[in-house]
Each structure stands twice: as structure tokens, then as C-alpha cells.
């Protein structure tokens, strides 16, 4: 059994998608970040950074005690390795390609697109400098992804944890992007949206927090 400490944000959803794809037995433990539950000491003993997602694996291989992990990229790698799916074997060029695009998501996509959404939706008044900077970076990131997907059907060639990680953060309506300008991203998103595991993950997210705008699978 794996406990998933979770709220259905972009970072939470990608772990839910992988668990659904893998068919692993797991239990969702909601952590309501809107009310500050991530700041509670009990959760911070699991996630030292005080952020979702986090997991506790009660049956880790070759360990006698439960294993807790935080940070979505680390969790994706761990679960994919545990199941031997969606992440090629160690030492292969294919694995490094997955890692390359996973770290691109962690280091660029989430920080810039989440800040753009924050400034667009939560700032008391518009801040033109920040919006101009973040809109330009969003456009650049979409172009990077569009170029890559013009070459391959999935970001690392085959469907992998890198696709799951990026998918949840490509929310064009919230990020001021028109997918008519990005036909390869559009086709890729439609392929992923059709996957039953992704549909199940988003449905579970809607059950937990119906007001999360990222859950519409638009």
C-alpha cells in the first residue's frame, strides 16, 4: 500500500496519473493546501519542504521500514523504477532522455507557468513588468515543447513519466496560449486526455476539490 499525500494541483495530479497507469494499490490522503494543512507538523515530518505531493510506501523493496518521499520528480522516478514501467533502465540513452524532459518540467515549466497563473489570477492589481516577462517565457516554453513534439509523438520518444509531468502543467486557457498556434501540442494533449488512467486521475481529483480549475481537462 502506498499513501499519497495530495491535493489536485498540477504537481499532485502527475503522481495520481502515474499511480493509475501503474495500477498500484494506493490510498489518497488529502492535504488541503487552501487551508494550510501542508504546514502541519505531522505532514512536514513526511514532506520536509511542506509541499505536496508526498508518498509513504509501506512495502519498499529491500527495506524493513516504510519509505517516505517528497518532491514530485523524485516520486515519479521512484514509482516508475519500482514498477519497471514508463522509465527505461538505468544506463540507457532512453532513460537519460526521459530525465532530460522531466527536469525541464521541474526546472522551467512549473516555476514559470505557476507564477504566470498566480500573477494573472491572484495579484490585487496587474503588474505589467511581471506579466510581460512571464507571458514571454510561457510562449517560449510552449515553442520548445511544440518543436519537440513535431519530431516525436511523446516528449522522450515513448510515453513516459516525462509526459505525465508536463501534461498537467499545460493549461493554455490559464496561461494565455492558443493551441491553434501549437498543433503538435494539441495532438499530444488529445492523445493523453484519451488515456483511461489520466481520466481516472482527474476524476479522483474532482472528487476531492471540485473548484480546482486545472481539473477540467480542457
Amino acid at each position: 500500500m502506498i499513501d499519497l499525500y495530495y491535493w489536485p494541483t498540477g504537481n499532485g495530479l502527475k503522481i495520481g496519473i502515474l499511480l493509475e497507469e501503474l495500477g498500484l494499490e494506493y490510498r489518497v490522503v488529502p492535504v488541503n493546501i487552501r487551508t494550510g494543512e501542508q504546514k502541519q507538523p505531522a505532514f512536514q515530518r513526511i514532506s520536509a519542504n511542506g509541499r505536496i505531493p508526498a508518498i509513504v510506501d509501506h512495502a519498499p523493496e529491500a527495506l524493513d521500514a516504510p519509505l517516505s518521499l517528497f518532491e514530485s520528480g523524485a516520486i515519479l522516478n521512484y514509482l516508475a523504477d519500482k514498477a519497471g514501467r514508463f522509465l527505461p533502465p538505468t544506463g540507457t540513452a532512453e532513460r537519460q532522455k526521459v530525465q532530460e524532459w522531466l527536469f525541464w518540467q521541474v526546472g522551467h515549466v512549473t516555476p514559470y507557468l505557476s507564477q504566470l497563473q498566480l500573477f494573472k489570477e491572484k495579484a490585487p492589481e496587474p503588474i505589467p513588468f511581471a506579466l510581460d516577462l512571464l507571458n514571454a517565457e510561457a510562449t517560449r516554453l510552449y515553442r520548445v515543447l511544440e518543436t519537440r513534439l513535431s519530431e516525436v509523438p511523446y516528449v522522450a520518444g515513448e510515453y513516459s513519466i516525462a509526459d505525465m509531468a508536463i501534461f498537467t502543467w499545460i493549461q493554455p486557457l490559464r496561461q494565455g496560449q492558443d493551441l491553434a498556434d501549437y498543433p503538435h501540442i494539441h495532438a499530444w494533449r488529445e492523445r493523453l486526455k484519451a488515456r483511461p488512467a489520466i481520466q481516472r486521475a482527474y476524476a479522483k481529483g474532482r472528487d476531492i476539490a471540485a473548484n480546482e480549475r486545472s481539473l477540467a481537462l480542457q
Side-chain angles (χ1 to χ4, degrees):
M1 171 67 74
I2 293 169
D3 290 337
L4 170 59
Y5 290 81
Y6 166 91
W7 196 250
T9 64
N11 280 341
L13 283 162
K14 58 190 177 185
I15 307 303
I17 289 171
L18 178 57
L19 286 166
E20 290 293 327
E21 290 280 13
L22 295 174
L24 296 176
E25 185 179 5
Y26 73 100
R27 178 175 69 104
V28 172
V29 183
V31 179
N32 191 335
I33 63 174
R34 307 305 179 215
T35 60
E37 290 181 0
Q38 74 276 18
K39 300 176 183 178
Q40 296 299 317
F43 176 66
Q44 292 194 352
R45 285 193 290 271
I46 296 166
S47 175
N49 195 39
R51 296 289 187 271
I52 62 96
I55 64 167
V56 176
D57 185 350
H58 293 277
E61 296 181 5
L63 293 176
D64 296 328
L67 173 69
S68 64
L69 281 174
F70 67 96
E71 287 300 318
S72 60
I75 296 168
L76 289 171
N77 275 322
Y78 171 77
L79 292 174
D81 271 335
K82 179 182 176 76
R85 295 178 63 198
F86 305 115
L87 181 61
T90 300
T92 62
E94 291 81 6
R95 184 186 182 98
Q96 297 311 315
K97 188 59 64 178
V98 172
Q99 295 296 294
E100 178 179 63
W101 286 99
L102 175 61
F103 278 82
W104 178 74
Q105 180 270 316
V106 171
H108 295 273
V109 171
T110 297
Y112 284 101
L113 297 187
S114 64
Q115 288 181 64
L116 174 59
Q117 291 170 190
L118 179 67
F119 278 98
K120 283 170 64 75
E121 299 169 3
K122 302 295 185 182
E125 59 185 41
I127 305 174
F129 175 79
L131 289 172
D132 289 347
L133 176 69
L134 294 169
N135 277 316
E137 183 62 8
T139 298
R140 189 191 72 81
L141 292 169
Y142 270 70
R143 287 174 178 166
V144 170
L145 184 58
E146 175 69 9
T147 298
R148 177 59 178 169
L149 291 171
S150 73
E151 303 165 345
V152 290
Y154 299 101
V155 293
E158 301 291 333
Y159 180 58
S160 72
I161 57 173
D163 296 283
M164 302 175 205
I166 296 166
F167 174 79
T168 63
W169 281 101
I170 300 301
Q171 300 174 30
L173 294 180
R174 299 182 69 190
Q175 295 156 1
Q177 301 295 318
D178 184 350
L179 286 189
D181 297 328
Y182 308 102
H184 295 96
I185 294 178
H186 175 72
W188 168 80
R189 288 184 82 243
E190 292 302 308
R191 287 195 294 276
L192 268 63
K193 285 161 60 176
R195 296 184 70 89
I198 289 181
Q199 294 174 11
R200 290 194 302 271
Y202 274 74
K204 289 183 178 181
R206 285 192 292 270
D207 288 342
I208 292 172
N211 65 345
E212 284 292 322
R213 294 180 61 186
S214 62
L215 299 178
L217 271 179
Q218 296 172 342

